[in-house]
Amino acid sequence: MGFYDDFDNKPKKKSGGNLTSWVAVALVSAVIGSGTTLVMVPKLINANVINVNGNNSSSHTSTTAGSTAIGNATNMSVNVNTGITEAVNKVKPAIVGVSNMQKQKDFFGRTKTNEDEVGTGSGVLFDAKGYIITNNHVVDGADDVQVSLPDGKKIQAKVLGTDFYTDLAVLKVDPNDVKDITPAKLGNSDSLTIGEPAIAIGNPLGAKFAQTVTVGVISALNRELPVTDEQSGQEVYSMNVIQTDAAINPGNSGGALVNINGEVVGINSAKIATSGVEGIGFSIPITEAEPIVQQLIDKGKIDRPVMGITPVNLSDLSARQKPADVSVDTGVVIYDISDYAKKAGLAVGDVITKIDDTQVDDQIALRKALYKKQPGDKITVEFYRGKDKKTITMTLGKQGDVK
């Protein structure tokens, strides 16, 4: 059997009538109702029909899992110490601001004596000795570098070394200035999986938004980010980077990408800033950054291996410029050569197609294959001389020594 409310089906009474009679009825009803309440409520309380808190030992009070319920009211307590907040608390104190200070020229072209801040970024203190990782483009061209600590204090920093190809730089500050800061722990970017949490910490837009935390996921691994020579405008290298949707904005460069364990797994470097594109940022894998950072600390530069050749892309040459009888469409043509490479068995016009087991289609692929090596390492070079495919083994030289 159902219960139906047929109130809306009842005929509506017309408005009007005697106002005095309506007021009288209302007053009588109120008096009767109040009197009944005064008489009945004490009797209902004594009969335990109505419970009043504190009136008896069976008060409706219970506590479960951090919440307290009294009658119909509930006070909830929520534990906000999640894995993300714990990870942030481990790394955040080690995130600093980095200011690029340069001497500018006045209206008459004279160099000013004071320095102006021409750019800001972020950095990660990773060693109690005062070593800080940041991006090369953050400190590029700086006459001086200042580091802003979490408490707002600004200190001088020395640039130990920079690397254009990997966009990394290492700074050094006085250890006494950072003795109260726990350095960030570096993790293993090789163990990352797509979809796991990613936390970006840095100083977007400068000190005003210092130590901003944004959260997302690892969107993709092994993305290729082009490195362009500013003078020529040509792409000269390709960085392997981590893609994340954790918000990365100007000023975040050089900051940390952190995993759920509170370990730095990447150094934030860039984002796609095209209109209509959101949530595509890139970070340098820390496992690839570490050997570069160590060389910058030890030597102040990267000793990259060289073959002693000047290469050009085969695909960039016209039919008339290509070597005669070449039987491949892609590769690197030796345009000029040193005595070092000649002794190894190479010649002008040879088309290099493979270094060890790595296919070489252009100069970028050649550099990536070589920069995984060290001076003194031996490599196998596969190349074409006319229609003939040849292979040699040569020892890589040191940049600056090979002529």
Side-chain angles (χ1 to χ4, degrees):
M1 178 181 293
F3 295 88
Y4 300 95
D5 183 0
D6 61 354
F7 178 83
D8 289 338
N9 294 328
K10 293 179 180 178
K12 299 182 182 294
K13 294 185 178 180
K14 295 181 181 180
S15 59
N18 191 322
L19 177 61
T20 304
S21 62
W22 277 106
V23 172
V25 171
L27 288 173
V28 172
S29 299
V31 171
I32 294 173
S34 299
T36 303
T37 301
L38 291 172
V39 174
M40 293 301 297
V41 168
K43 293 183 178 181
L44 292 173
I45 291 174
N46 292 332
N48 288 327
V49 174
I50 297 178
N51 287 328
V52 178
N53 292 332
N55 189 55
N56 55 55
S57 60
S58 60
S59 174
H60 288 236
T61 302
S62 61
T63 302
T64 58
S67 64
T68 302
I70 303 177
N72 293 325
T74 303
N75 296 324
M76 300 295 295
S77 63
V78 179
N79 182 5
V80 297
N81 291 321
T82 65
I84 290 176
T85 57
E86 291 174 0
V88 168
N89 290 335
K90 289 179 182 179
V91 181
K92 188 177 177 183
I95 305 302
V96 300
V98 178
S99 296
N100 185 321
M101 311 296 293
Q102 295 184 20
K103 293 181 179 179
Q104 303 294 299
K105 295 184 181 298
D106 62 17
F107 179 79
F108 299 100
R110 298 171 300 192
T111 302
K112 297 179 181 179
T113 56
N114 61 315
E115 295 171 340
D116 296 326
E117 184 183 85
V118 299
T120 61
S122 306
V124 182
L125 177 71
F126 69 98
D127 191 294
K129 295 178 182 178
Y131 295 127
I132 295 170
I133 308 176
T134 188
N135 286 142
N136 169 65
H137 75 262
V138 170
V139 298
D140 186 35
D143 294 312
D144 193 14
V145 173
Q146 289 184 351
V147 166
S148 301
L149 301 180
D151 61 2
K153 180 181 178 182
K154 292 187 176 182
I155 59 177
Q156 295 298 117
K158 178 183 178 181
V159 179
L160 292 185
T162 63
D163 183 48
F164 167 75
Y165 289 105
T166 58
D167 196 25
L168 290 169
V170 178
L171 311 178
K172 178 73 164 58
V173 297
D174 188 334
N176 292 323
D177 288 330
V178 293
K179 63 182 179 180
D180 296 327
I181 301 175
T182 301
K185 181 180 179 181
L186 304 185
N188 179 12
S189 55
D190 289 344
S191 65
L192 292 174
T193 58
I194 296 173
E196 72 171 270
I199 308 163
I201 311 177
N203 293 10
L205 307 182
K208 183 177 180 180
F209 299 101
Q211 294 193 314
T212 291
V213 176
T214 56
V215 179
V217 298
I218 301 296
S219 303
L221 301 170
N222 300 315
R223 293 298 199 205
E224 294 293 323
L225 188 67
V227 178
T228 303
D229 178 41
E230 291 186 359
Q231 293 183 346
S232 66
Q234 294 183 340
E235 183 180 341
V236 295
Y237 194 63
S238 179
M239 292 169 49
N240 176 44
V241 291
I242 302 164
Q243 180 185 332
T244 179
D245 66 342
I248 295 176
N249 294 290
N252 270 116
S253 293
L257 189 70
V258 182
N259 64 13
I260 199 67
N261 296 321
E263 300 167 334
V264 178
V265 292
I267 302 299
N268 299 325
S269 180
K271 67 171 290 186
I272 292 181
T274 304
S275 176
V277 176
E278 296 291 342
I280 301 181
F282 301 102
S283 185
I284 304 165
I286 199 65
T287 304
E288 295 188 14
E290 281 188 275
I292 301 296
V293 168
Q294 192 58 54
Q295 283 193 59
L296 293 178
I297 292 173
D298 295 340
K299 303 178 181 180
K301 62 179 183 176
I302 304 299
D303 288 329
R304 287 209 160 83
V306 294
M307 295 176 63
I309 64 171
T310 301
V312 294
N313 294 338
L314 178 62
S315 60
D316 292 341
L317 301 178
S318 66
R320 294 182 59 185
Q321 293 173 322
K322 290 181 179 180
D325 299 325
V326 64
S327 56
V328 290
D329 297 322
T330 58
V332 172
V333 182
I334 298 178
Y335 176 78
D336 197 6
I337 193 169
S338 67
D339 290 337
Y340 184 87
K342 286 180 181 178
K343 291 178 181 178
L346 296 173
V348 171
D350 288 346
V351 181
I352 298 173
T353 56
K354 187 176 288 187
I355 299 293
D356 292 335
D357 295 325
T358 302
Q359 187 71 29
V360 174
D361 293 329
D362 52 28
Q363 294 182 62
I364 295 173
L366 176 65
R367 288 193 184 96
K368 287 183 71 70
L370 293 180
Y371 291 175
K372 294 177 181 178
K373 308 289 184 178
Q374 298 293 327
D377 288 349
K378 292 185 179 297
I379 61 170
T380 300
V381 183
E382 181 182 285
F383 62 95
Y384 282 84
R385 184 170 292 166
K387 294 181 180 180
D388 299 328
K389 184 167 72 172
K390 296 179 177 293
T391 302
I392 64 166
T393 299
M394 69 178 295
T395 301
L396 292 170
K398 184 178 179 181
Q399 195 171 29
D401 292 347
V402 174
K403 297 178 181 180

